[in-house]
Amino acid sequence: MRLKNIPRARDVIAASRWAVDEPEKMKGRWAEEFGEPADAPVHLEIGTGKGRFILELSKEHPDINYIGLEKYSSVLLRGVEIQDELMLKNLRFIRGDAELITEYFLPGSIDRIYLNFSDPWPKERHAKRRLPSRQFLARYDTILSPGGTIEFKTDNRDLFDFAVEEVPGSAFEIAQLTYDLHADPVMNEGNIMTEYEEKFSALGNKICKYILVRR
Ligand code: SAM
């Protein structure tokens, strides 16, 4: 992915009440950060981009706490600027790396993980960087609660086939799966389109999705 560097992004994120720049310091402190009720579910989107999907979810479900994690400040900037205006109490953004999520969250503290249009990393030697890889599924197993779920969608059929093949070696099983989300009335109910989803479905690409639960 080509990335335009936006010099002010780091400063805007560092100054925002709603963004976390040093997520290691937040481990075990998320309930305190969100406030009452302390037992509200926490849903995490990994690779949130400009945060459009998680902003919509946060508006629709004020009873759920949401965290959007994004590696690059210049990408995350737009979402943080919008949240600086909306000030949704149940939403925080993290500028951080998914490889370190077990440093950011206590075991069992996340109730749902969303992976939306994750980078495909097409070279075989980079397979372990793919967010639905077995290496990442093991990290998700650590931070997810006993009833925790993972929802993954993409228009990239090769990445989706890889993701499906990674499941049997993990702590999870497939509860629901579709190769054409927008034509599936059950799985598409309440679907919120991400930025990439809108772009690629407008080109005629079908959207694949699975939902994983623990075995
Ligand atoms: N989820 C958004 C959507 O569907 O519109 C953005 C999709 S974009 C293709 C993938 C995003 O994941 C990029 O913004 C990228 O920087 C982010 N990303 C990739 N690897 C990551 C990692 N290890 N940790 C955090 N974010 C990551």
Side-chain angles (χ1 to χ4, degrees):
M1 184 183 61
R2 286 248 310 276
L3 198 67
K4 195 170 108 195
N5 182 45
I6 304 176
R8 69 190 172 86
R10 282 237 164 198
D11 291 342
V12 170
I13 290 167
S16 173
R17 155 80 186 86
W18 312 99
V20 173
D21 210 15
E22 295 181 295
E24 297 87 351
K25 293 186 178 168
M26 291 300 295
K27 191 172 182 177
R29 295 183 46 216
W30 287 103
E32 180 192 329
E33 169 66 19
F34 283 112
E36 293 295 327
D39 60 352
V42 182
H43 294 183
L44 168 69
E45 186 190 13
I46 301 182
T48 198
K50 295 177 188 162
R52 173 183 150 162
F53 171 83
I54 202 116
L55 279 156
E56 284 306 313
L57 275 178
S58 307
K59 282 187 237 169
E60 274 188 20
H61 305 283
D63 49 333
I64 297 172
N65 292 329
Y66 291 96
I67 301 171
L69 169 64
E70 169 56 48
K71 193 168 182 175
Y72 297 106
S73 313
S74 297
V75 182
L76 185 59
L77 174 64
R78 188 73 199 113
V80 171
E81 285 178 329
I82 293 171
Q83 170 65 346
D84 279 345
E85 285 175 17
L86 295 179
M87 300 194 284
L88 298 163
K89 283 198 296 215
N90 61 329
L91 174 63
R92 299 292 183 279
F93 285 110
I94 295 176
R95 211 281 311 149
D97 189 334
E99 292 200 13
L100 301 174
I101 48 173
T102 55
E103 307 297 317
Y104 304 164
F105 304 105
L106 287 176
S109 62
I110 301 293
D111 298 287
R112 184 176 298 168
I113 290 174
Y114 291 106
L115 307 173
N116 291 320
F117 295 79
S118 307
D119 292 337
W121 292 105
K123 289 185 181 144
E124 201 42 52
R125 67 175 194 277
H126 292 148
K128 65 173 190 282
R129 295 186 192 174
R130 299 172 192 154
L131 294 181
S133 68
R134 69 193 67 180
Q135 289 83 359
F136 274 101
L137 291 177
R139 295 179 180 112
Y140 307 152
D141 182 27
T142 301
I143 64 167
L144 276 172
S145 60
T149 57
I150 301 169
E151 300 200 6
F152 169 52
K153 56 183 175 176
T154 181
D155 69 319
N156 185 316
R157 184 60 191 263
D158 288 342
L159 179 65
F160 192 69
D161 288 344
F162 165 83
V164 168
E165 283 165 18
E166 293 292 271
V167 178
S170 77
F172 303 96
E173 63 185 7
I174 295 174
Q176 294 179 63
L177 178 148
T178 178
Y179 291 97
D180 190 357
L181 176 63
H182 299 169
D184 184 320
V186 175
M187 288 192 76
N188 199 43
E189 201 190 331
N191 183 52
I192 290 179
M193 297 247 256
T194 77
E195 197 184 347
Y196 273 65
E197 184 171 355
E198 201 152 274
K199 192 160 90 183
F200 289 120
S201 58
L203 296 175
N205 297 6
K206 289 188 170 42
I207 310 302
C208 305
K209 176 172 178 170
Y210 72 37
I211 298 177
L212 305 187
V213 296
R214 289 188 188 282
R215 324 178 160 271

